[in-house]
Amino acid sequence: MNIIGKKNWYFALSLLVIIPGLLSLMFWGLRLSIDFTGGTQIKLTSSVAVSSQQQQTLRSIFQEQGVRIEVLQVSGQEITIKTPPIDSKKHIQLLSAIAQKDATQLREEEYTTVGPTIGSETTTNAIIGILLASLLIVLYIAWSFREIPKPASSWRFGVCAIIALLHDALVLLGIFSLLGHFFGVEVDSLFVTAILTVIGFSVHDTIVVFDRIRENLKKMGATSFAHVVNESLLQTMTRSLNTSLTVILVLFALLLFGGESTRWFIAALLIGIVSGTYSSIFNAAALLVAWQERVKTK
């Protein structure tokens, strides 16, 4: 099986998945939750399906209380309302006004307030965390593979691992941008946790492949670099697929039977694990070969 010989097809497939997501990020961005934007989110449930009249009543109540509604979403018997940050006193006043004017006995299920400063700090910390993790990964791989036989370079291994990592992050970000635009799926702090988890899993899988390439370069020094990489991929593919499959099965069970609060976190992990497995086998090592061939041509 010549995986490396078809590397351009695998690169094209990755672009086919990434480009729509990139366009979505450019034009629509991500639908950020209050974890990043700051504000107050109130979830109410009704004893009956929420009507347009009930929505109008809620809007008038908030207007009378001097609170601007930024988002009002209805899903069956559940209403989600997002406003600028409000304090506990105003929150109590709103609930009291709703209880007096609404006849369907709305019940509050969730009340969350995040200040704009905290939201900004969360965004900054998320970006710093991802950048720092990427830098440390490059340095670690470059140091660990420092004795790799020439003409291979340990820095190339590190950079290719990061490119594969970025592939997984872009796939995840792009899909969630599309989900946010078409289905209203929001990105919260758990999504950042999912990205960091996917990064760790992806690099772990990539390093297993790279380590086998390093071993085979020492054993098969006279063989072409592309052949060594292809043999290494075939030797590690079963292990990579089996490891990923066990994780995917667990995540799929959690997606089906887990709670609503973690549903999109689990979905993000599933997408990232599948993408990470693909990039480790079909992208990271293929990039090494493409880079080596370009250097050799020069």
Side-chain angles (χ1 to χ4, degrees):
M1 184 177 179
N2 188 7
I3 297 175
I4 295 301
K6 299 180 177 65
K7 60 182 181 295
N8 290 332
W9 287 101
Y10 302 131
F11 294 156
L13 180 59
S14 293
L15 289 174
L16 193 64
V17 174
I18 290 173
I19 288 175
L22 283 176
L23 292 174
S24 178
L25 285 168
M26 287 171 58
F27 291 108
W28 302 317
L30 294 166
R31 184 181 287 270
L32 300 177
S33 72
I34 62 171
D35 290 352
F36 296 101
T37 60
T40 293
Q41 177 172 288
I42 300 173
K43 286 189 178 181
L44 305 168
T45 55
S46 173
S47 56
V48 295
V50 179
S51 64
S52 57
Q53 179 61 42
Q54 193 173 24
Q55 295 177 49
Q56 189 58 43
T57 300
L58 285 172
R59 290 185 183 277
S60 64
I61 290 171
F62 275 73
Q63 186 175 6
E64 290 170 4
Q65 294 293 325
V67 179
R68 176 172 55 87
I69 292 180
E70 295 180 345
V71 176
L72 192 152
Q73 294 177 328
V74 176
S75 177
Q77 295 174 231
E78 184 179 89
I79 307 171
T80 301
I81 300 172
K82 296 180 183 178
T83 70
I86 60 176
D87 57 26
S88 57
K89 182 178 178 181
K90 179 60 70 174
H91 172 229
I92 293 171
Q93 291 174 355
L94 284 168
L95 291 181
S96 177
I98 291 171
Q100 291 174 10
K101 291 193 175 184
D102 192 84
T104 57
Q105 297 180 340
L106 283 170
R107 300 185 307 278
E108 183 180 66
E109 297 293 333
E110 181 182 321
Y111 165 69
T112 307
T113 293
V114 177
T117 302
I118 296 175
S120 177
E121 288 178 357
T122 302
T123 304
T124 303
N125 291 337
I127 294 171
I128 292 174
I130 293 171
L131 291 177
L132 182 60
S134 301
L135 175 62
L136 291 175
I137 288 167
V138 170
L139 294 175
Y140 171 75
I141 294 176
W143 181 82
S144 297
F145 286 70
R146 64 191 183 282
E147 296 179 359
I148 198 165
K150 301 297 182 184
S153 166
S154 62
W155 286 102
R156 287 182 208 154
F157 279 77
V159 172
C160 287
I162 291 300
I163 294 174
L165 177 156
L166 290 174
H167 166 279
D168 303 332
L170 287 174
V171 167
L172 193 52
L173 288 167
I175 289 176
F176 266 76
S177 176
L178 291 167
L179 289 173
H181 180 72
F182 292 106
F183 301 101
V185 176
E186 292 185 338
V187 169
D188 56 15
S189 56
L190 277 178
F191 181 75
V192 178
T193 305
I195 287 184
L196 291 172
T197 304
V198 167
I199 285 174
F201 184 91
S202 175
V203 171
H204 169 267
D205 217 19
T206 302
I207 287 178
V208 170
V209 177
F210 282 2
D211 195 52
R212 183 58 60 89
I213 294 173
R214 176 176 60 178
E215 292 175 1
N216 287 338
L217 281 172
K218 295 176 181 178
K219 297 176 183 177
M220 307 161 63
T223 313
S224 71
F225 186 74
H227 179 72
V228 172
V229 172
N230 195 73
E231 287 299 310
S232 302
L233 285 173
L234 295 177
Q235 292 168 13
T236 56
M237 184 180 293
T238 301
R239 179 260 181 208
S240 296
L241 291 177
N242 286 339
T243 301
S244 298
L245 185 59
T246 56
V247 177
I248 289 170
L249 290 174
V250 172
L251 291 175
F252 189 69
L254 288 172
L255 185 65
L256 291 177
F257 304 109
E260 178 69 28
S261 60
T262 59
R263 175 174 298 172
W264 291 111
F265 170 65
I266 301 300
L269 288 177
L270 263 174
I271 295 168
I273 297 300
V274 172
S275 175
T277 303
Y278 176 85
S279 66
S280 296
I281 297 173
F282 299 106
N283 283 351
L287 280 169
L288 270 177
V289 174
W291 196 343
Q292 178 66 24
E293 288 175 349
R294 185 174 180 83
V295 170
K296 188 176 180 180
T297 302
K298 288 183 177 181

